[in-house]
């Protein structure tokens, strides 16, 4: 299985701050990486596919980059409604695997 | 738009079989454009992908659960189902169904709301 290592596991930032989350794959996954947002008590929501492709309707303050083994997810200006846990997920190989998640809180 | 809804018992006894169904509405499970998948999330933990089924019946199971998992599809009811045998407390989780695109990026773009299953005597 491909292991996905996310960091940090949690972070606290102020409204308007730039927030960055990293995800490292245990082997080269090209750009076969998605990012999801999960709010408490809700199902995950797809935000970004193919490492950097923003899904329709997702605010432009969200972005993703990277290829190979190292990926980055960024919120350019943190908003109160962005409080959630964010997960990366690879689809280069089966089984599909997720990172452990990054919980984002407001300072 | 397509919606998914999980259903099934919320409480299962240890050693028994967990059975859940996902009903697809607003679209056909037989479209061929998607795989139909199960994912679970243990309390306070991350996401674990269980496996998927195609409308034809072909399946893939996560090797970590393969010996205990079965996913089936009923195209006439637009449903797919999960069975997990010999459950223990470690199988207590929120279980989600989701669809995965079969063409292009393998994204899980539509999810059910999830159903909580507790394994306890």
């Amino acid at each position: 299985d491909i292991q996905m290592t996310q960091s940090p596991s949690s972070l606290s930032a102020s409204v308007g701050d730039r927030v960055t989350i990293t995800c490292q794959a245990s082997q080269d996954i090209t750009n076969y990486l998605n990012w999801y947002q999960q709010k408490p008590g809700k199902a995950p929501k797809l935000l970004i596919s193919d490492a950097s492709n923003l899904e329709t309707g997702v605010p432009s303050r969200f972005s993703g980059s990277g290829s190979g083994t190292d990926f980055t997810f960024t919120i350019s200006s943190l908003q109160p409604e962005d409080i959630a846990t964010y997960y990366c997920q690879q689809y280069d190989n089966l089984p599909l695997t997720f990172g452990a998640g990054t919980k984002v809180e407001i300072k | 738009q397509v919606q998914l809804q999980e259903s099934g018992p919320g409480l299962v006894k240890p050693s028994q079989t967990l059975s859940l169904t996902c009903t697809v509405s607003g679209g056909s499970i037989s479209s061929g454009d998607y795989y139909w998948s199960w994912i679970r999330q243990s309390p306070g933990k991350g996401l674990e992908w269980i496996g998927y089924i195609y409308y034809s019946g072909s399946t893939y199971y996560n090797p970590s659960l393969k010996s205990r998992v079965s996913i089936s599809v009923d195209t006439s009811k637009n449903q797919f189902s999960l069975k997990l045998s010999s459950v223990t407390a470690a199988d207590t989780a929120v279980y989600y169904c989701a669809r995965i695109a079969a063409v292009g990026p393998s994204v899980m773009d539509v999810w059910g709301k999830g159903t909580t299953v507790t394994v306890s005597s």
Side-chain angles (χ1 to χ4, degrees):
Chain A
D1 297 7
I2 296 177
Q3 307 303 315
M4 306 301 294
T5 303
Q6 254 184 269
S7 61
S9 57
S10 65
L11 66 89
S12 182
S14 299
V15 172
D17 281 356
R18 183 181 185 87
V19 168
T20 299
I21 298 168
T22 63
C23 182
Q24 185 171 61
S26 59
Q27 64 187 65
D28 189 337
I29 59 169
T30 319
N31 68 329
Y32 298 148
L33 184 99
N34 302 321
W35 289 97
Y36 298 85
Q37 174 193 65
Q38 185 178 33
K39 295 185 176 181
K42 301 293 186 181
K45 174 187 174 183
L46 177 68
L47 297 182
I48 290 171
S49 62
D50 279 348
S52 61
N53 183 37
L54 200 66
E55 293 299 299
T56 301
V58 175
S60 59
R61 63 180 179 275
F62 295 102
S63 65
S65 64
S67 66
T69 61
D70 295 308
F71 301 86
T72 300
F73 174 83
T74 300
I75 307 173
S76 61
S77 177
L78 186 66
Q79 299 302 304
E81 59 266 33
D82 300 336
I83 299 315
T85 301
Y86 294 84
Y87 294 92
C88 60
Q89 173 247 318
Q90 67 80 23
Y91 60 94
D92 182 64
N93 272 358
L94 295 177
L96 305 179
T97 50
F98 292 87
T102 297
K103 186 174 184 178
V104 175
E105 298 175 319
I106 295 286
K107 190 182 294 183
Chain B
Q1 73 277 22
V2 174
Q3 294 184 316
L4 279 62
Q5 178 67 58
E6 306 88 351
S7 59
L11 181 64
V12 181
K13 288 181 166 52
S15 80
Q16 294 191 342
T17 295
L18 177 161
S19 296
L20 297 174
T21 296
C22 182
T23 300
V24 180
S25 59
S28 174
I29 205 170
S30 302
S31 70
D33 295 331
Y34 300 96
Y35 297 99
W36 304 94
S37 183
W38 289 96
I39 305 99
R40 72 180 183 178
Q41 186 169 34
S42 303
K45 298 288 180 63
L47 297 159
E48 180 180 27
W49 184 68
I50 298 171
Y52 68 48
I53 191 164
Y54 197 52
Y55 78 98
S56 62
S58 61
T59 55
Y60 181 92
Y61 303 135
N62 192 323
S64 67
L65 296 167
K66 188 176 182 178
S67 63
R68 299 193 292 130
V69 168
S70 175
I71 300 176
S72 59
V73 64
D74 187 336
T75 55
S76 66
K77 295 182 178 179
N78 228 29
Q79 295 176 335
F80 62 106
S81 298
L82 169 70
K83 290 189 185 298
L84 182 64
S85 64
S86 305
V87 298
T88 69
D91 296 309
T92 293
V94 177
Y95 286 77
Y96 296 99
C97 57
R99 74 176 190 182
I100 302 175
V103 179
S106 294
V107 296
M108 300 181 211
D109 65 341
V110 179
W111 294 63
K113 292 182 178 180
T115 188
T116 300
V117 177
T118 301
V119 178
S120 175
S121 55

